[in-house]
Amino acid sequence: MGDHSHGDPNTSGTVATAGQGQVEKFQDPGLPPHRPRLADRDPRAEKRAERQVAILFAISVIGTLLFFVGYFSIHLDETTAVSTIRLQNLLLGLGTAFAMLGIGVGIVHWAKTLMPDHEVAEERHEIRPEEDRQVAEKMIGQILDESGIKRRPLIRNTLIGAGVLAILPAIGIFRDLSKNIDPDILRHTMWDKGVRLTRDPEGTPIKASDVTIGSAFHVIPEGLNELHEGKLNEKTKSVVLLMRLNPADLHVSPGREDWNYNGIVAYSKICTHVGCPVALYEQQTHHLLCPCHQSTFDLTQECKVIFGPASHPLPQLPITVDSEGYLVAQSDFHEPVGPSFWERG
Amino acid sequence: MKALSQRRRHPLAALALLLLGLLVTGGLYAVAGTVNEAKAQTTTYSAQDVEEGEKLFVANCATCHGLGAVGAREGAHGNQAGPSLIGVGAAAVDFQVGTGRMPMQMSGPQAQVKPKQFNEEQTGQLAAYVASLGAGPAVPSEEVLDTTKGDAAKGGELFRTNCAMCHNANAAGGALTRGKYAPSLEGVTGEHIYEAMVTGPQNMPVFNDANISPEGKRDIITFLKTIEAQGSPGGAALGSLGPVAEGLFIWTAGLGVIIGFTIWLTQRSS
């Protein structure tokens, strides 16, 4: 073997020295030789390819028929079972898929096997950059000249002013798309002094004695089910999770001593990250987990965030019992529920 | 017989044999299932049941739960041992032992389902013993488990409000914090589902009769059995786990199909 001490390929004794001593130039290899396809040579193969294309188109026809079977033979009304609707979805989807796929695959197969396959070379356009640039420059110069925009500043300035102003109405129009622009609606919920805590979805009131240790109740405010307008909007703000712990497990901060009732606590179910319902309650670890981004709240520490992207604790609903023993709210939440917003403060 | 032996090399013979095998196995399972159902669960325990149950308890459970089921704070290796079982009721025993979760094989984030360690009679005896220690939820009666009387639509509403956040909208289960998880409810008997609701096993909250009435629980079980029977018309439900499983499928299988088409499109015909 030769000398490896040189790194330069041109002087190394071991590395092949292809191209050395002659001008390096890429040679156009030209088109590969034309190779006739099976269908070009064998009439039986041609016949077979023809049949295959026809079969693919027939598959498309069957797909379309399948779609109409699903569309017309399954009637949807109030009593239709969900599984029937899903079956219809399946038929419509499969039918459309095969209808499209059959045509597409058939056409491609047709073109590949049966249509002429002679090679064609197309010459590139010549590039004339300098010439073209000059022509364009001349045209723009002529436009500027003839419009006289440089000579008549009054016209130019009024045009700029009109253009800027004309955009402004769009801001108003798009702003109107959001009717709920007033951030104060995010600060208040249906909860108020004396509003009973009721079961979701029935709306029946809950006695304090019903809530045994380890229980979790999904709660809506009394009167929510009677709302006709904006019921879902109100529900998304006011849903509450009610749980009972051993009072000794609760670490209550000053000022919140009477917010729980014998270890029964109520917290907003709306995650303070992006508003998913935090309802995965673990009754032994007292963790509340948000299923969307795994924010974890510790119920014993007034729903402090112990993991995940949420930024502040879940708001607590102060509760007590009324004269009949039913759980009622003492007031609304003391802070806005759900994720942060610009004006939250 | 001769005709049969002559056809044994027929191309469809293997298929016919396979179908026959499947039919026989399925039939046997169906028969075994009805036999199990026929055994009525009695909730009245005799003094002898309690006595036998105590023996089983001392031999198998007292290491962690303590003699007299008062609970033990520290286990053999200094970790948290079993809680007190006074007042958990027969339903808790029937659920934990009947699903094989107890006796626990090893400590971990939560007790795992495994083959049952005790037969139905022994489970009943253990339940009798624990029920005798203090009042607690009893094993549910047949009346509240009868899914023919339940309302699946109402049950679906209750399920989506109270259960779906942990157990998934299709009851396929889901993850909780630090290694714990809500198990899939597919194939779980109505009795065990009912018992889990009233006793709140592991980290599951308790849904007592004041929260969800026995009829409501029956509706939930009816809903679960209905969606289980409906299955998936498309074939593979991908575990019903939602966007993650479906996204993974379409990104791998879907892109694979697209790549396959691209290769085919650019290939010369032979």
Side-chain angles (χ1 to χ4, degrees):
Chain A
M1 299 301 279
D3 177 14
H4 287 257
S5 60
H6 303 291
D8 186 356
N10 285 332
T11 52
S12 162
T14 54
V15 178
T17 53
Q20 215 175 358
Q22 47 183 296
V23 184
E24 269 188 61
K25 195 178 176 193
F26 176 72
Q27 300 290 328
D28 181 3
L31 295 170
H34 182 78
R35 179 176 61 83
R37 296 163 301 183
L38 206 57
D40 297 334
R41 284 176 277 141
D42 183 1
R44 275 190 312 171
E46 190 186 349
K47 207 80 200 137
R48 191 167 61 233
E50 196 181 335
R51 264 201 314 276
Q52 283 166 346
V53 172
I55 288 172
L56 284 165
F57 289 153
I59 287 176
S60 166
V61 173
I62 293 170
T64 311
L65 291 178
L66 194 67
F67 176 91
F68 283 117
V69 167
Y71 191 80
F72 287 113
S73 70
I74 296 174
H75 299 282
L76 300 184
D77 54 39
E78 294 284 298
T79 57
T80 312
V82 178
S83 56
T84 317
I85 299 171
R86 291 166 73 192
L87 180 69
Q88 186 186 43
N89 275 342
L90 179 79
L91 291 177
L92 299 188
L94 276 184
T96 319
F98 278 108
M100 297 290 150
L101 207 65
I103 293 179
V105 175
I107 286 176
V108 172
H109 193 56
W110 182 11
K112 281 177 64 167
T113 52
L114 295 173
M115 288 187 192
D117 72 332
H118 48 258
E119 289 84 4
V120 175
E122 207 172 319
E123 291 298 321
R124 215 184 253 277
H125 284 296
E126 240 178 288
I127 305 169
R128 299 172 302 173
E130 193 51 37
E131 230 171 281
D132 283 355
R133 203 174 59 81
Q134 277 172 1
V135 169
E137 219 170 59
K138 207 174 150 195
M139 276 164 71
I140 293 171
Q142 201 178 354
I143 290 170
L144 286 178
D145 236 26
E146 288 180 358
S147 69
I149 203 156
K150 283 180 185 164
R151 280 180 291 124
R152 302 187 211 279
L154 180 66
I155 291 183
R156 186 193 62 199
N157 292 348
T158 44
L159 175 65
I160 292 173
V164 168
L165 275 179
I167 299 168
L168 290 181
I171 297 176
I173 286 171
F174 286 120
R175 189 178 173 276
D176 286 349
L177 287 179
S178 160
K179 271 192 276 178
N180 301 334
I181 203 78
D182 177 14
D184 272 344
I185 62 154
L186 299 171
R187 294 186 196 279
H188 305 292
T189 68
M190 276 185 75
W191 294 108
D192 205 353
K193 187 174 164 53
V195 174
R196 276 183 178 163
L197 281 74
T198 62
R199 290 177 187 81
D200 185 13
E202 298 98 330
T204 47
I206 304 162
K207 276 206 155 88
S209 54
D210 292 344
V211 190
T212 50
I213 284 189
S215 285
F217 282 61
H218 296 265
V219 169
I220 50 175
E222 186 181 25
L224 180 85
N225 283 345
E226 283 73 51
L227 286 184
H228 291 295
E229 210 173 312
K231 179 181 164 185
L232 276 179
N233 278 345
E234 285 303 332
K235 187 173 182 178
T236 49
K237 286 195 293 177
S238 58
V239 278
V240 154
L241 195 61
L242 184 75
M243 293 143 293
R244 184 171 202 160
L245 287 71
N246 187 346
D249 288 341
L250 289 173
H251 301 287
V252 183
S253 60
R256 290 193 180 191
E257 290 89 351
D258 63 341
W259 283 19
N260 72 75
Y261 181 79
N262 289 345
I264 303 177
V265 286
Y267 281 92
S268 165
K269 216 156 78 173
I270 310 301
C271 185
T272 53
H273 175 220
V274 284
C276 293
V278 186
L280 284 71
Y281 172 53
E282 299 178 1
Q283 62 124 329
Q284 287 176 5
T285 57
H286 306 304
H287 289 166
L288 274 168
L289 172 69
C290 179
C292 292
H293 305 99
Q294 283 70 51
S295 291
T296 310
F297 303 88
D298 188 348
L299 196 59
T300 61
Q301 299 180 65
E302 297 182 333
C303 282
K304 190 181 122 183
V305 185
I306 54 170
F307 181 78
S311 57
H312 45 267
L314 293 173
Q316 185 177 1
L317 183 73
I319 53 166
T320 185
V321 289
D322 63 10
S323 53
E324 289 172 71
Y326 289 112
L327 289 164
V328 291
Q330 290 182 27
S331 67
D332 197 356
F333 291 104
H334 287 221
E335 55 187 315
V337 298
S340 299
F341 48 96
W342 196 262
E343 298 85 351
R344 187 177 186 271
Chain B
M1 213 55 212
K2 199 176 167 215
L4 202 64
S5 69
Q6 270 172 351
R7 295 218 175 96
R8 73 185 193 279
R9 289 190 200 285
H10 193 270
L12 289 177
L15 189 69
L17 210 61
L18 193 70
L19 279 176
L20 191 72
L22 283 173
L23 271 176
V24 169
T25 340
L28 280 178
Y29 261 106
V31 170
T34 46
V35 167
N36 273 343
E37 266 172 33
K39 275 189 205 159
Q41 188 84 45
T42 51
T43 44
T44 48
Y45 302 114
S46 66
Q48 203 201 335
D49 283 339
V50 175
E51 206 174 295
E52 290 294 323
E54 184 170 12
K55 280 183 201 158
L56 283 169
F57 187 89
V58 170
N60 295 286
C61 321
T63 322
C64 297
H65 289 292
L67 284 170
V70 291
R73 290 304 297 173
E74 297 291 314
H77 300 286
N79 46 358
Q80 163 92 47
S84 163
L85 298 183
I86 296 169
V88 299
V93 179
D94 193 59
F95 175 82
Q96 300 279 4
V97 180
T99 59
R101 285 180 168 83
M102 292 287 156
M104 226 172 149
Q105 208 158 24
M106 56 178 172
S107 31
Q110 73 187 50
Q112 308 283 333
V113 175
K114 58 179 186 297
K116 284 190 281 185
Q117 312 285 302
F118 296 102
N119 63 27
E120 219 161 290
E121 191 193 354
Q122 290 168 322
T123 309
Q125 288 166 344
L126 273 172
Y129 169 64
V130 171
S132 73
L133 300 171
V139 174
S141 66
E142 301 230 318
E143 165 75 15
V144 293
L145 298 176
D146 188 358
T147 50
T148 55
K149 292 179 187 159
D151 177 357
K154 183 85 177 57
E157 208 176 343
L158 285 169
F159 184 85
R160 284 186 290 276
T161 307
N162 292 288
C163 324
M165 64 288 300
C166 295
H167 285 288
N168 165 320
N170 213 19
L176 294 172
T177 68
R178 297 178 189 173
K180 299 181 283 290
Y181 63 94
S184 164
L185 302 181
E186 197 189 337
V188 182
T189 63
E191 190 181 8
H192 288 149
I193 295 171
Y194 193 99
E195 287 163 352
M197 284 190 273
V198 286
T199 61
Q202 326 272 338
N203 264 299
M204 176 168 161
V206 178
F207 295 94
N208 60 27
D209 288 352
N211 189 355
I212 302 174
S213 66
E215 289 74 33
K217 291 189 174 84
R218 184 173 64 192
D219 292 343
I220 289 176
I221 294 166
T222 311
F223 167 73
L224 289 172
K225 295 297 157 201
T226 309
I227 59 167
E228 204 176 300
Q230 278 178 350
S232 168
L238 301 177
S240 302
L241 290 178
V244 174
E246 284 158 22
L248 182 71
F249 174 77
I250 206 65
W251 274 102
T252 48
L255 274 181
V257 168
I258 289 175
I259 290 170
F261 268 114
T262 335
I263 292 172
W264 175 70
L265 273 171
T266 51
Q267 236 174 10
R268 273 180 66 99
S269 171
S270 60

